[in-house]
């Protein structure tokens, strides 16, 4: 054992442990509201047991100790088939938080904190809350002050170095699931688990092959000398993640000596290795590799466009055909890479039930969170930037949107408040709605609050529409709460929310009915890596606008209305959209009247941008702006056209909004 380096498996341990902790938090919150708690308790137990087993295999004793205590708490309720009370749920959640803290230390390669006080508190609680099946003063016979062993209490300790442990020889056959991304890492965990039960005499694949990660088979055989019976060994292995089956011979004492390969293993090994290619359907890939891959695909896009520009119209048919075939292959590669980058919403939203529960409890409120459409997928780059705005929105909803219980009852509402997150696909975008059934937003009160804070002039307040009044909560420094809260105030951070969403190329809309609800609608792009843009020109300069933000393009003519004071409007969809020249927005100079109007939808309002020429549509790779260009508020990125010309990508709705407000 001393020659085995477990550090190569640390990343896998961290990733899997995070998944288990996320599921533990989600299940514990669901348990409080469930009318059928026993299946949930069973699942909670399995996650806690998996963390303990993996930590024991890695030698992370403090994590084993705490996970074992959490497992003991759950085991009592699981064994006695009784529901878990709220006090115990709180205790287990504290244990989950402690495990997350310890996992953070592993991630940062710091010493793992023992958290002895938390372990002791849980141990003492075990003695106080022993169920009817407990006969030793604690769940599963645990003593309050003792630190638990990392392995099963019925399992024998490994024999000291140089000693041969007592017991019988057993042949252990293990098969892992087809979804397991790293067979070598999983078999190493199995090896460590068996080594804690006795002495592994021989294995196929060999331990050297496992250590070197040269394993592709989905099955392995271990020759074990141990006092533990077959049931204990099978139970320990079945509790590990990604184990499909674990079979143990009751007694293989008559099998060949360990110096020779057992006949059964020898007979099975060739078939197992020969079937290796049928097993794995998934593989874990580092995100930086995916980022580099999408950059390379983007460069291929640019090179393809340059080739198309260089090839003359009268080029040989064979050359045109080859170029067309290349374009098809690059597009297929793009689609495959983008598919790999797509990540389900649940990776983000799984922790929100715990967040809402804890916030509501701290404020003395009872709030239920319902999540719909969490299977909807977004580009990882988009998803990574949504947590901050979504958390801001949820905190605002719980703290200020949801009324106290007495106020809700007085309005004829249920004592339990509800928040809903719903995601759905809409063509090339994703709609995410976050809605609460709280007190809503009062437009008149918002205008008055903005006046009191000096964020609005009386003349401006008089002409604001209902919708514009709701968007006052997105002004920097605006809040409807006079006092500073440790949680939030409606409006605190909403400027950050809007900026984040628009920075991704998305939009935010706000709907509210006083006393009934508040609904925030986020329209998000599926990806920010490769997008379709409309190329437009003003004063001889070409800019790109994401097609997702364009409603239509109209030629300036009979539909154009010139109003008083030089204002221009475009009649579109039975409404008048104000027209602002792009040269005026960007202060480019010139005096030529626009020939075309690019119609945009900013929330529910229509606006039009006048341009001199519409160059056409392009599929482009978005490049981030570096310093100091990233300080340009109205530009969301840049791209390179096929002729090598760099083009800035405009955030037109934001630019028009700033121009009209000036």
């Amino acid at each position: 054992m001393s020659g085995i380096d477990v550090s190569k498996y640390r990343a896998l341990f961290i990733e899997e442990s995070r998944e288990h902790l996320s599921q533990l938090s989600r299940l514990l919150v669901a348990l409080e509201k469930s009318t059928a708690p026993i299946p949930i308790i069973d699942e909670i137990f399995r996650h806690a047991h998996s963390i303990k087993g993996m930590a024991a295999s890695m030698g992370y004793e403090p994590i084993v100790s705490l996970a074992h205590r959490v497992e003991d708490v759950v085991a009592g309720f699981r064994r006695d088939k009784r529901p878990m009370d709220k006090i115990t749920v709180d205790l287990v959640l504290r244990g989950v938080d402690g495990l997350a803290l310890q996992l953070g230390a592993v991630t940062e390669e710091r010493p793992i904190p023992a958290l002895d006080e938390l372990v002791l508190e849980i141990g003492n609680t075990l003695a106080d809350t022993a169920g009817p099946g407990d006969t030793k003063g604690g769940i599963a016979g645990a003593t309050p002050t003792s630190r638990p062993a990392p392995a099963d209490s019925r399992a024998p300790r490994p024999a000291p170095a140089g000693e041969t442990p007592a017991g019988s020889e057993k042949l252990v056959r293990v098969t892992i699931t087809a979804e397991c991304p790293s067979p070598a890492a999983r078999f190493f965990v199995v090896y460590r688990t068996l080594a804690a039960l006795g002495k592994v005499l021989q294995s196929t694949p060999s331990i050297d092959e496992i250590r070197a990660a040269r394993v592709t088979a989905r099955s392995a055989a271990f020759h074990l000398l141990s006092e533990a019976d077959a049931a204990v060994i099978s139970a320990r292995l079945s509790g590990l993640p990604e184990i499909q089956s674990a079979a143990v011979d009751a007694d293989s004492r008559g099998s060949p000596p360990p110096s020779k390969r057992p006949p059964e293993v020898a007979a099975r090994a060739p078939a197992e290795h020969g079937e290796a290619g049928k097993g794995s359907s998934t593989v874990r890939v580092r995100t930086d590799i995916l980022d580099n891959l999408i950059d390379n695909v983007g460069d291929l896009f640019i090179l393809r466009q340059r080739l198309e520009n260089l090839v003359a119209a009268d080029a040989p048919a064979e050359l045109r055909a080859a170029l067309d075939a290349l374009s098809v292959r690059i597009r297929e590669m793009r689609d495959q890479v983008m598919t790999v980058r797509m990540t389900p919403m649940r990776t983000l939203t799984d922790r929100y039930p715990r967040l809402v529960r804890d916030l509501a409890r701290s404020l003395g409120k009872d709030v239920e969170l319902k999540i719909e459409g969490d299977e909807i997928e977004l580009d990882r780059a988009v998803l990574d930037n949504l947590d901050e705005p979504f958390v801001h929105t949820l905190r605002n909803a719980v703290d200020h949107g949801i009324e106290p219980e007495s106020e809700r009852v007085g309005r004829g509402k249920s004592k339990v408040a509800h928040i809903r997150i719903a995601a759905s696909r809409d063509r090339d975008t994703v709609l995410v709605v976050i809605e609460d059934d709280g007190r809503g937003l009062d437009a008149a009160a918002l205008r008055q609050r903005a006046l009191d804070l000096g964020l609005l002039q009386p003349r401006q307040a008089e002409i604001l529409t209902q919708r514009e009044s709701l968007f006052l909560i997105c002004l920097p420094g605006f809040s409807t709460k006079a006092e500073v809260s440790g949680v939030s105030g409606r409006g605190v951070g909403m400027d950050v929310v809007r900026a984040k969403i628009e920075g991704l190329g998305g939009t935010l809309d706000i709907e509210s009915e006083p006393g009934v609800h508040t609904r925030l609608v986020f329209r998000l792009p599926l990806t920010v890596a490769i997008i379709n843009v409309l190329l437009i020109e003003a004063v001889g300069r070409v800019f790109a606008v994401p097609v997702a933000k364009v409603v239509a393009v109209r030629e300036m003519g009979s539909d154009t209305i010139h109003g008083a004071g030089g204002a221009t409007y475009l009649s579109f969809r039975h409404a008048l959209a104000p027209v602002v020249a792009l040269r005026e927005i960007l202060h480019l100079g010139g005096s030529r009247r626009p020939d075309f109007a690019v119609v945009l939808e900013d929330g529910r309002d229509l606006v039009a941008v006048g341009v001199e020429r519409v160059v056409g549509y392009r599929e482009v790779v978005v490049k981030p702006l570096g310093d100091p260009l990233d300080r340009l508020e109205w530009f969301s990125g840049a791209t390179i056209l096929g002729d090598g010309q760099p083009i800035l990508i405009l955030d037109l709705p934001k630019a028009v909004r700033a121009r009209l407000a000036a």
Side-chain angles (χ1 to χ4, degrees):
M1 294 296 296
S2 60
I4 298 178
D5 178 18
V6 301
S7 62
K8 66 177 72 175
Y9 304 114
R10 184 171 56 241
L12 181 63
F13 169 79
I14 292 170
E15 185 172 354
E16 292 193 357
S17 295
R18 282 175 177 164
E19 293 173 2
H20 286 301
L21 290 175
S22 175
Q23 291 304 310
L24 278 172
S25 292
R26 181 185 63 82
L27 290 167
L28 286 163
V29 173
L31 184 63
E32 291 184 312
K33 307 292 183 181
S34 176
T35 57
I38 304 306
I40 298 179
I41 291 176
D42 288 341
E43 195 170 349
I44 290 171
F45 177 84
R46 285 193 291 271
H47 285 293
H49 183 76
S50 295
I51 292 175
K52 184 188 78 171
M54 292 190 304
S57 300
M58 295 294 292
Y60 298 147
E61 181 65 24
I63 298 180
V64 173
S65 180
L66 180 54
H68 190 83
R69 281 299 187 217
V70 170
E71 181 187 37
D72 278 347
V73 172
V74 181
F77 293 91
R78 179 174 183 249
R79 184 190 58 248
D80 299 333
K81 304 293 183 184
R82 54 193 173 102
M84 192 179 293
D85 57 89
K86 286 190 175 183
I87 294 177
T88 305
V89 170
D90 285 339
L91 178 68
V92 176
L93 281 171
R94 287 182 57 202
V96 171
D97 291 341
L99 290 170
L101 182 66
Q102 291 175 325
L103 184 62
V106 174
T107 304
E108 298 171 7
E109 299 186 36
R110 294 184 286 104
I112 304 174
L115 303 180
D116 289 329
E117 292 184 4
L118 179 59
V119 173
L120 182 61
E121 181 181 352
I122 297 175
N124 290 334
T125 304
L126 289 173
D128 296 337
T129 60
D134 298 314
T135 59
K136 298 182 182 180
I139 295 177
T143 56
T145 57
S146 64
R147 289 179 62 105
D152 193 307
S153 59
R154 296 171 296 171
R157 292 286 184 181
E163 292 186 21
T164 301
S168 60
E169 296 180 15
K170 299 172 179 65
L171 185 63
V172 183
R173 299 189 185 94
V174 179
T175 302
I176 59 177
T177 62
E179 293 75 22
C180 178
S182 178
R186 184 56 58 218
F187 285 138
F188 179 71
V189 172
V190 171
Y191 175 82
R192 289 290 298 267
T193 302
L194 293 176
L197 297 171
K199 183 176 182 179
V200 178
L201 304 174
Q202 188 175 353
S203 69
T204 302
S206 70
I207 187 58
D208 290 335
E209 291 174 315
I210 293 173
R211 287 167 54 191
R214 295 196 304 267
V215 178
T216 56
R218 294 280 141 185
S219 299
F222 298 86
H223 207 62
L224 177 69
L225 183 62
S226 174
E227 290 182 328
D229 58 37
V232 171
I233 297 171
S234 180
R236 287 293 305 277
L237 295 178
S238 298
L240 297 175
E242 297 172 329
I243 298 299
Q244 181 173 308
S245 64
V248 184
D249 284 353
D251 187 4
S252 60
R253 213 172 259 152
S255 59
S259 58
K260 298 180 181 179
R261 171 182 278 192
E264 297 171 84
V265 178
R268 292 173 54 90
E272 290 169 355
H273 286 277
E275 296 173 358
K278 299 180 181 179
S280 179
S281 60
T282 60
V283 64
R284 297 179 190 269
V285 182
R286 296 202 318 270
T287 55
D288 60 319
I289 294 178
L290 288 179
D291 292 339
N292 291 334
L293 188 57
I294 196 64
D295 287 341
N296 291 334
V297 171
D299 292 339
L300 286 176
F301 258 84
I302 296 171
L303 290 173
R304 182 205 68 185
Q305 292 173 358
R306 293 191 66 181
L307 283 174
E308 290 178 346
N309 291 341
L310 292 172
V311 174
D314 58 351
E318 293 84 356
L319 180 58
R320 298 296 310 181
L323 185 58
D324 291 342
L326 177 63
S327 298
V328 171
R329 293 294 177 266
I330 293 176
R331 193 176 301 277
E332 289 176 350
M333 185 184 300
R334 184 280 311 269
D335 292 342
Q336 292 168 358
V337 172
M338 294 311 303
T339 299
V340 173
R341 284 170 58 101
M342 300 299 279
T343 307
M345 284 277 295
R346 69 172 63 92
T347 61
L348 183 70
T349 59
D350 270 354
R351 74 182 188 91
Y352 291 163
R354 169 77 186 280
L355 172 72
V356 170
R357 174 217 185 249
D358 290 350
L359 289 175
R361 290 280 290 272
S362 69
L363 297 169
K365 300 178 181 181
D366 194 355
V367 182
E368 285 187 358
L369 175 65
K370 183 178 182 181
I371 300 175
E372 303 169 0
D374 59 355
E375 75 283 355
I376 298 294
E377 294 185 333
L378 282 165
D379 188 336
R380 181 188 58 80
V382 176
L383 212 58
D384 287 348
N385 285 280
L386 292 180
D387 190 53
E388 184 179 4
F390 283 4
V391 168
H392 268 304
T393 303
L394 290 172
R395 292 171 73 91
N396 285 337
V398 174
D399 185 24
H400 188 78
I402 301 300
E403 315 96 318
E405 182 179 309
S406 58
E407 185 178 336
R408 291 183 64 85
V409 172
R411 292 183 175 183
K413 295 183 177 182
S414 65
K415 295 180 180 179
V416 180
H418 298 86
I419 298 177
R420 183 175 72 101
I421 301 177
S424 60
R425 279 286 296 269
D426 183 15
R427 295 174 296 176
D428 290 336
T429 62
V430 171
L431 289 181
V432 179
V433 176
I434 301 182
E435 180 179 18
D436 67 72
D437 65 349
R439 59 170 59 97
L441 295 170
D442 187 318
L446 293 176
R447 288 193 293 269
Q448 185 58 52
R449 181 63 176 165
L451 288 170
D452 295 341
L453 294 172
L455 301 174
L456 198 64
Q457 298 300 317
R459 182 180 61 83
Q460 295 173 311
E462 293 173 0
I463 62 174
L464 284 181
T465 64
Q466 175 84 2
R467 179 175 178 274
E468 289 170 340
S469 298
L470 296 181
F471 270 92
L472 290 172
I473 67 172
C474 294
L475 291 176
F478 184 92
S479 175
T480 58
K481 304 195 83 173
E483 73 279 2
V484 176
S485 167
V487 178
S488 70
R490 177 80 72 175
V492 173
M494 288 304 296
D495 58 322
V496 176
V497 170
R498 188 175 192 179
K500 277 275 190 180
I501 297 302
E502 292 182 346
L504 291 170
T507 60
L508 168 67
D509 196 15
I510 303 174
E511 304 169 8
S512 186
E513 183 177 348
V516 180
H517 73 90
T518 299
R519 177 186 300 150
L520 274 71
V521 182
F522 304 86
R523 183 179 291 274
L524 305 162
L526 285 174
T527 178
V528 292
I530 298 177
I531 63 173
N532 292 308
V533 299
L534 178 68
L535 299 179
I536 56 178
E537 183 179 312
V539 196
R541 303 183 185 183
V542 178
F543 300 93
V545 180
V547 170
K549 296 189 177 184
V550 177
V551 177
V553 177
R554 290 287 186 269
E555 190 172 357
M556 301 283 281
S558 58
D559 292 337
T560 306
I561 300 173
H562 298 286
T568 304
Y569 297 88
L570 179 72
S571 178
F572 183 77
R573 292 182 182 174
H574 309 290
L576 291 178
V579 180
V580 184
L582 182 58
R583 60 178 175 78
E584 294 178 1
I585 295 175
L586 301 179
H587 305 287
L588 299 177
S591 58
R592 177 178 168 180
R593 280 179 174 255
D595 296 320
F596 298 90
V598 179
V599 184
L600 312 167
E601 196 168 26
D602 186 13
R604 293 191 298 266
D605 295 335
L606 291 174
V607 294
V609 176
V611 300
E612 297 162 13
R613 187 166 73 98
V614 176
V615 179
Y617 290 95
R618 296 287 189 277
E619 190 174 36
V620 301
V621 179
V622 180
K623 301 288 187 180
L625 294 173
D627 187 59
L629 293 179
D630 58 353
R631 303 176 195 176
L632 298 175
E633 187 178 5
W634 299 341
F635 297 96
S636 57
T639 189
I640 300 175
L641 300 184
D643 59 2
Q645 180 184 4
I647 298 293
L648 289 172
I649 301 175
L650 271 169
D651 187 346
L652 266 188
K654 183 186 292 185
V656 172
R657 197 183 309 128
R659 172 65 180 175
L660 294 177

